[in-house]
Amino acid sequence: MTTSAALSRLSLNQRTTASWSLPEAIKGCVEAGLGAIGIWREQLAEVGLDEACRLVAESGLRVSSLCRGGFFTNPAEAETAEAQNREAIDEAAALNAATLVLVPGGLPPGDRDLEGARNRAARAIERLVPYAHEHGVRLGIEPMNPIYAADRGVISTLAQALDIAERFEPEDVAVVVDTFHLWWEPGIAQQVERAGERIASYQICDWITPLPADSLLARGMMGDGHIDFPAFSRAVAKAGYHGDVEVEIFNADIWAAPPASVVETMADRYLELVQPYIDG
Amino acid sequence: MTTSAALSRLSLNQRTTASWSLPEAIKGCVEAGLGAIGIWREQLAEVGLDEACRLVAESGLRVSSLCRGGFFTNPAEAETAEAQNREAIDEAAALNAATLVLVPGGLPPGDRDLEGARNRAARAIERLVPYAHEHGVRLGIEPMNPIYAADRGVISTLAQALDIAERFEPEDVAVVVDTFHLWWEPGIAQQVERAGERIASYQICDWITPLPADSLLARGMMGDGHIDFPAFSRAVAKAGYHGDVEVEIFNADIWAAPPASVVETMADRYLELVQPYIDG
């Protein structure tokens, strides 16, 4: 396989190269020979949806995900959240994104009812499904490492995300399988198999120790930490996933490095640790 | 109920008042009217086992736990670990501790086989059981928050700890239910009920955000964070737990405060958030 064919499923999530604007990130992906890009709404807003669609079409890249909808758990902001999620669905449809990533949201201030927050997230997803279906957008529920259960994502395991997703059609509601969030989950290989055609996105980055001081920026480059990428990627391939593999790394050191060199490193690590195990 | 009766099940885990020696901690517990103490092996070694037994007997305190055995996962250190665990069992027997807390251990350096490490921990526990049984010591498996899965505790959920514990008699192998480690676990109330008579220890402290820079010192005083202590304590009571409630807080700010005032605060918070819900 040529390098360019080997990289055809690799996608750069924009948060990995946080200093790049959307046009710069698109250019960086094309120059590195990647097949796809994961777009963030904040950087999308800077150029506008029409211009973004034009740039993406011109580049030939697929949009592996739009990040992100969700943040469903605060009852005081439920209406705003629904409106924002509908807007995100519109954008995902225009960009032909493989999925709209849904980050569930954390506990509202002063609220300690985790089960209540989880139920609110599930109901908010249910309310979004008809609109998403109408627009041909697949919702991707992202279970998040329990390190974020209080302040970011109350859905903590793939099993729990699938319990919600399975109430809907697989083309409407699916899951985001992110190694950082799920590597520790007991029985994760079986849950990935259970997910099967419901895997909307495979996101990768490493779990590193000691954990950086800011837990929101605790993710590492594949190979720098403790996650067994060959094993995880084999499980994802075995489950029948044929989509893109998105590298999403929140890390202050990586953000400080020249973005093109970050893309180069991530491509090298992907070719070493992931691609041989996921391309059938 | 008098305050002193209300505090009769409250135990100070020595790590909450890290600057106190064992004699100081024992004195502090007695003066605050607590019923028990959780002893650490490091501070036990400073005074010696015989003197510690004498001080404990004289104080009238129960020893709610000895912390800690475990650290089973590095194959290169398996023999040393087994010897240290037998020594810990001897100490737990002499102190008549309600349980010897077992911290499973993390991934060995460079090893990414989490399932392998989990299996080694389970087998090491199995090897310890006859010795513990002979000495009348109850082993308490401590499932740990996934934040520590790589470097400290590969057993990540109460469900997973129970899967191991249930291979043995409840008087030999039980579990440590720690709110910090388990508050996020999907279906935790059902798992606590499943644990039933296998709960060897109920440890409490809070999950605070933002997470302090050193993730090993990320625990907070009850009431300062996101955990619903009334609900969790009710579940533990409903499961039939009648033992002590141990406050174990690793936190640099709390360690810097005068220990007696920390004990006072923890007693207040216990009376407010835990005691009414756990004392039947």
Side-chain angles (χ1 to χ4, degrees), chain B residues 74-96:
Chain B
N74 192 338
E77 296 167 5
E79 277 181 40
T80 316
E82 184 157 349
Q84 285 171 345
N85 276 288
R86 285 176 175 239
E87 201 175 273
I89 288 169
D90 296 341
E91 294 169 4
L95 289 163
N96 197 25

Side-chain angles (χ1 to χ4, degrees), chain A residues 131-146:
Chain A
Y131 191 82
H133 178 83
E134 225 170 83
H135 290 74
V137 168
R138 194 178 202 198
L139 302 174
I141 304 173
E142 181 161 33
M144 301 189 88
N145 195 295

